[in-house]
Amino acid sequence: MAEQHWVEVDGLVLPRPVAGHPALELVNTFSGWDGSHASDYLATYDHLAVLAGELDLLPAGDVQRLRRAAHRQPEAAAAALERACTVRAVIRGAALDPSDGEAVAALTVATRSAATGVQLVPGHPARWHVQGISPDDLDRPSDAFAWAAADLVTRPEVARVRSCPGLGCGWVFLDTSGRRRWCSMQWCGNRAKVRAHAARTRTRP
Ligand SMILES: [Zn+2]
């Protein structure tokens, strides 16, 4: 059986990581960037915090603490979730087209807020521990994602960011081989093959 494109973590359904970079995995919490079959994995603040923890952007203890804080302040959690959705779109724009000055400027603004409390951890190039002004600052997950995105966008590898052309997809990933076209051959690649085959069969006399 084909692999699902989601995983269950802590009882929450999250997208399976396929992007090759944590900032891009946030983008992939939404599918249907082409305007069709939209679906959003960021159902609650818990999803956002757990995803940041899963991707090693926040320590596990901090994720639990943020989730408790979010349950105490549902309105602030809803606002933080909305901000994360904005950051998600900003990251997608800047990563897919770093020559788009407006998109990069929007990411720069998001990074500034993340930088107020960043803590560098020597020896952990793949981890960003963003310490908010308060440890319960609900924007910490989106700050961590923005910080990770700033790292990606300022590296030459950003030229390898591609978006999946699958119908109702638009997931992004780092094309390290130079030949990757789909988020996953098993999902969008196969569906496209099946559609192309059906179209050929229909046009036969
Ligand atoms: Zn796809």
Side-chain angles (χ1 to χ4, degrees):
M1 206 182 103
E3 222 175 34
Q4 300 280 8
H5 61 308
W6 50 269
V7 284
E8 207 180 301
V9 186
D10 232 351
L12 303 175
V13 172
L14 290 171
R16 185 179 292 278
V18 297
H21 192 283
L24 301 180
E25 307 295 2
L26 177 68
V27 176
N28 296 348
T29 56
F30 187 84
S31 47
W33 290 98
D34 58 359
S36 65
H37 308 95
S39 73
D40 197 336
Y41 284 92
L42 286 188
T44 67
Y45 184 86
D46 286 324
H47 289 76
L48 172 67
V50 168
L51 180 71
E54 273 298 289
L55 294 168
D56 244 2
L57 294 179
L58 292 174
D62 292 22
V63 170
Q64 294 311 325
R65 187 180 172 127
L66 286 171
R67 292 178 73 180
R68 285 194 299 270
H71 284 263
R72 285 194 304 271
Q73 319 160 63
E75 273 176 35
L81 186 61
E82 204 178 305
R83 174 163 183 262
C85 295
T86 306
V87 167
R88 175 172 70 181
V90 162
I91 293 175
R92 187 173 195 271
L96 274 177
D97 186 4
S99 68
D100 179 343
E102 226 171 277
V104 174
L107 179 60
T108 306
V109 170
T111 309
R112 258 180 220 139
S113 117
T116 55
V118 72
Q119 187 192 13
L120 301 179
V121 181
H124 287 273
R127 291 186 69 148
W128 291 266
H129 288 246
V130 178
Q131 304 288 349
I133 291 168
S134 141
D136 292 343
D137 180 349
L138 296 178
D139 281 332
R140 286 183 59 203
S142 32
D143 281 349
F145 280 113
W147 192 258
D151 178 77
L152 172 65
V153 167
T154 50
R155 285 174 191 268
E157 292 94 298
V158 72
R160 293 186 172 272
V161 177
R162 304 274 178 270
S163 123
C164 175
L167 198 66
C169 189
W171 275 19
V172 288
F173 52 85
L174 271 177
D175 175 19
T176 47
S177 68
R179 292 185 308 272
R180 182 169 168 191
R181 180 149 188 244
W182 308 102
C183 61
S184 159
M185 196 58 218
Q186 283 193 30
W187 316 320
C188 286
N190 275 342
R191 273 190 289 160
K193 265 201 300 198
V194 168
R195 264 196 304 275
H197 177 77
R200 276 196 305 274
T201 315
R202 271 198 304 275
T203 52
R204 260 178 219 148

